[in-house]
Structures are given as C-alpha cells and as structure tokens.
Amino acid sequence: MAKGEVKPFDRYFFSVVLIITIIGIFTFVSASLGILVRSEEKFYSVLFNQIILGLVCGVVGMFVVSRIHYTFWRKYAFYIFLGVLGLTLLVFVPGVGFAHGGARRWIDIGPVSFQPAELLKLGFVIYFAAWLAWVRKRGAEVKYKIAPFLVLVGIVGVTLLKQPDTKSIILIIGASAAMLFVSGVSWKKIALVFGLMLVGVGILAYTRPYVMSRVQTFLNPASDPQGASYQLQQSLIAIGSGGIFGRGLGQSVQKFNYLPEPQGDSIFAVYAEEFGLAGTLSLLVLYIFLALRGYKIALRAPDAFAQYLVVGLVSLLTLQSFLNIGALVGILPLTGVPLVFISHGGTALAIALMSAGMVLNVSRFKKEYTKKPL
C-alpha cells in the first residue's frame, strides 16, 4: 500500500467499543429500574438523556470525528483548550452554572445541561499532545515537558477544585503521565511528579473532609457502614450476590433502595450482580483489549502528535473504567469516576464515543511494518 494512502479504520478497536456500548445500554436500562419505581417521569428523562443525547449523538459524533483528519486537532489545539477551559469556567456564572449534590459542575444551555469538565479532559489531551509533539526534538525534559505539564495541570486543577471535581484532575494527571512516558520522559522523573501529586492529595485530604472520608473508607471499609462506607458495603453485597453466572439481566436487588446512584457510579455492582463472575471477567477482558488495541494503534501512528493523542485518549477511556471497577471492589479509594460507555451521563457517553472516533481516524493512517532483508 502506498505511503500516505488512507486505510479502513481499525475494526477491532471499533468492535470492542461497540460491544461495550451495547452492554452498557442494557445494563443502564436495568440499573435505572430503581428510578422507575420512584418516578416514571424521572426514569424517562434519564433514559432520554442517555439514549438520545448520549448514545445517538455520540455514535453520530464518533463517525463524523472518525472522518476528520487528526491533524485538524493539532492545528487548532490551543484554541480548543482555551475554549473548553472558558466553557468550564461558566459553571461559576450565576444563571448559567448550577449546583447538584454539593458540587457546581453543570451548565444549562437552552434545554441541555451538561458537565463541561468532560470536554476539558478531551481538550487538555489534545493540547498536551500538540505541545509534546512541538517540543519532541528539544532537550531539557524538565523545562520543555515536566514544567509545562505542571503549569497546565495547575491551571485546570484550580478550575476543577473550585467545583469541586477531584476525579477529573486524577484522570487528567493519569492520561498526561502516560503521554509523558511515551514522549521519552524517564520513569524516575514521572515518579517524582507523582510524588509531588501525592503530597498535593495529602494536603487536599487534610483541607477537604470529603476527600479524607474516602481515604479512611479505603483504609478501613468497615469503619462507617451506614455513612462513608455505605456505598462500598452495598457494592460488595451486590457483587457477592451475583455468584458465578449472576441473577440475570434486570434481576438485581441492590439497585432498589440500596446502592446509591445504581445507574451512575455504582453501575458496575449492578452489572456484577446480574451477570456474575463470568460476566465481570468478560467485561474486564473487553476493557483490557480496548487498552491494548488502542496502544497498538498509537504504536503504529503516522507521527508523534497522533501517537501522543491516541495514548492520551485511550488512557482516559480505560483509566477511569479501571478506577471505577477497582473502587467498587474495594482495592482503590472511591473517586466517583464513571464506568466508560456504561454509566449514566449523556455528555460523558457522547464524549467517550467521539474520543473513540479520533482514535479510529488515526488508525486509518497507520504505518506498515516490513521486515528488513537479512
């Protein structure tokens, strides 16, 4: 195949995204039955948000984005980042932004409300990929890579902490750390960065009681079963109740008045209760395959920007999925991150599908490896 010729997008990556999304829709509908018992109107509102705004708009967006040449994002990376940062700041504008559950993370634009932080994560990855590609041939890793990373994280961190939205900061740091590693930054320097971040988390836990309670819950899950540990306790009951093959689709008991946010942060527990250990392991395999296939696309990307972009996007998609699963089985602290392609959130689902579309576009320009003659 001639150099530069456009190829079909990666069907394996597309297939695993499609499979997880289909699983997600069935699981979401089942998990939302608890809402139906309490309010039929709210049930259909949530369903409309997920199916129409999330799935339909997301699938259309994925195919549109998969046709946009990836270099477009590099050309406008700075403006995209500024745009989504400004959009995120609108949550603090009275009459535009609004609070829910003690957090001010949403904005209303006409009949649509959404979390602009989902766009900020995407915009950050695009801009940081463009930056790393621009400084690729320059030396001085601390000056050109680590220092700009800390500055950018500091800018978005201040914006997100004011909401507060700690989980988005964690995801941005994780994805950009993967991008730094691929760009050639040594493990020692990345470890140093994470050390600084852990100090920051310690300060945050000391100054913000809700962060401290989650840390204490992780260290001692039985400390407050009716309070801070309630979600974890109910999640473990749901997962354990699933047995080997589960109760069956729609048969979860814990989603009715036991699990908090069964269609949201706790949806993995509902899935595990209905599909059991066999279904849980199958879903984990799908997410692992998504990560491996995505990183393989990055390995064969046509240039540095495409490689960093795919690594950042795939890391965003898979990191939050594993953080969600790990938290609900008790091996990681609760962070409130959603299960990608499955949890409630029309904006989150649409952005995740569009991110997959960007990866698919890069896969159309993959390099072909040929064996060198002996």
Side-chain angles (χ1 to χ4, degrees), residues 1 7 300 366-370:
M1 189 171 284
K7 309 170 183 67
R300 302 177 66 180
K366 63 185 178 183
K367 295 183 294 186
E368 295 290 345
Y369 288 128
T370 57

Side-chain angles (χ1 to χ4, degrees), residues 105 160-161 164-171 204 208 210-211:
R105 303 173 187 168
L160 293 171
L161 282 176
D165 187 0
T166 310
K167 65 179 183 297
S168 291
I169 301 173
I170 294 172
L171 293 172
L204 195 63
R208 295 180 182 253
Y210 78 94
V211 176

Side-chain angles (χ1 to χ4, degrees), residues 38-155:
R38 298 188 297 271
S39 171
E40 184 175 337
E41 181 181 354
K42 186 177 180 181
F43 171 76
Y44 286 112
S45 174
V46 167
L47 206 62
F48 175 83
N49 180 70
Q50 191 77 357
I51 302 296
I52 304 301
L53 300 182
L55 180 64
V56 175
C57 293
V59 169
V60 171
M62 178 175 65
F63 280 103
V64 170
V65 169
S66 71
R67 308 298 296 182
I68 298 174
H69 200 289
Y70 69 89
T71 53
F72 170 86
W73 308 110
R74 181 176 185 175
K75 183 178 180 180
Y76 296 103
F78 179 69
Y79 303 105
I80 291 170
F81 178 65
L82 283 184
V84 295
L85 183 61
L87 192 64
T88 306
L89 290 171
L90 287 179
V91 300
F92 304 112
V93 177
V96 179
F98 68 94
H100 175 70
R104 196 173 186 85
R105 303 173 187 168
W106 291 264
I107 61 175
D108 266 326
I109 299 180
V112 179
S113 63
F114 63 95
Q115 293 188 53
E118 296 297 330
L119 289 169
L120 181 60
K121 289 184 289 187
L122 181 60
F124 185 97
V125 166
I126 292 171
Y127 179 65
F128 196 50
W131 175 266
L132 289 177
W134 184 64
V135 300
R136 183 171 61 93
K137 294 184 178 180
R138 291 171 169 81
E141 290 179 350
V142 174
K143 178 180 179 181
Y144 289 108
K145 294 180 180 178
I146 295 178
F149 160 75
L150 293 174
V151 170
L152 288 171
V153 168
I155 292 171

Side-chain angles (χ1 to χ4, degrees), residues 50 72 111 128 139 141 144 149 160 175 184 188 203 221 237 241 248 250 284 286 288 296-297 352 358:
Q50 191 77 357
F72 170 86
F128 196 50
E141 290 179 350
Y144 289 108
F149 160 75
L160 293 171
K188 291 182 179 180
I203 295 172
I237 291 172
S241 300
L284 282 172
L286 287 171
I288 292 170
K296 183 174 182 179
I297 292 171
M358 292 184 185

Side-chain angles (χ1 to χ4, degrees), residues 183-195:
S183 74
V185 176
S186 67
W187 269 113
K188 291 182 179 180
K189 290 177 180 176
I190 294 177
L192 178 62
V193 170
F194 272 108

Side-chain angles (χ1 to χ4, degrees), residues 129-371:
W131 175 266
L132 289 177
W134 184 64
V135 300
R136 183 171 61 93
K137 294 184 178 180
R138 291 171 169 81
E141 290 179 350
V142 174
K143 178 180 179 181
Y144 289 108
K145 294 180 180 178
I146 295 178
F149 160 75
L150 293 174
V151 170
L152 288 171
V153 168
I155 292 171
V156 300
V158 169
T159 304
L160 293 171
L161 282 176
K162 291 289 289 183
Q163 298 184 12
D165 187 0
T166 310
K167 65 179 183 297
S168 291
I169 301 173
I170 294 172
L171 293 172
I172 286 173
I173 291 172
S176 50
M179 297 164 72
L180 281 173
F181 176 69
V182 172
S183 74
V185 176
S186 67
W187 269 113
K188 291 182 179 180
K189 290 177 180 176
I190 294 177
L192 178 62
V193 170
F194 272 108
L196 294 173
M197 296 301 170
L198 286 175
V199 172
V201 170
I203 295 172
L204 195 63
Y206 183 76
T207 56
R208 295 180 182 253
Y210 78 94
V211 176
M212 179 61 77
S213 69
R214 290 183 175 183
V215 173
Q216 290 173 341
T217 296
F218 170 65
L219 296 176
N220 186 7
S223 60
D224 187 11
Q226 296 302 316
S229 303
Y230 179 78
Q231 182 179 6
L232 177 58
Q233 295 295 325
Q234 296 303 317
S235 171
L236 293 175
I237 291 172
I239 294 170
S241 300
I244 301 298
F245 298 107
R247 296 178 182 271
L249 179 64
Q251 302 304 308
S252 167
V253 175
Q254 289 297 109
K255 66 189 175 190
F256 295 105
N257 300 318
Y258 295 104
L259 277 169
E261 297 292 331
Q263 77 283 3
D265 301 346
S266 302
I267 200 168
F268 175 75
V270 176
Y271 174 86
E273 185 180 1
E274 296 188 344
F275 294 98
L277 179 63
T280 298
L281 292 177
S282 299
L283 186 62
L284 282 172
V285 168
L286 287 171
Y287 278 117
I288 292 170
F289 183 82
L290 180 74
L292 294 177
R293 194 66 193 181
Y295 291 138
K296 183 174 182 179
I297 292 171
L299 184 65
R300 302 177 66 180
D303 56 44
F305 169 72
Q307 184 177 62
Y308 303 147
L309 178 66
V310 172
V311 167
L313 294 175
V314 172
S315 297
L316 271 183
L317 293 174
T318 54
L319 176 61
Q320 57 186 316
S321 299
F322 293 129
L323 283 176
N324 176 278
I325 294 171
L328 291 180
V329 299
I331 62 173
L332 292 173
L334 289 166
T335 56
V337 298
L339 188 58
V340 178
F341 304 122
I342 297 179
S343 287
H344 176 232
T347 307
L349 177 57
I351 296 300
L353 289 169
M354 290 174 65
S355 299
M358 292 184 185
V359 176
L360 290 173
N361 180 263
V362 172
S363 73
R364 300 176 70 220
F365 301 92
K366 63 185 178 183
K367 295 183 294 186
E368 295 290 345
Y369 288 128
T370 57
K371 292 183 178 180

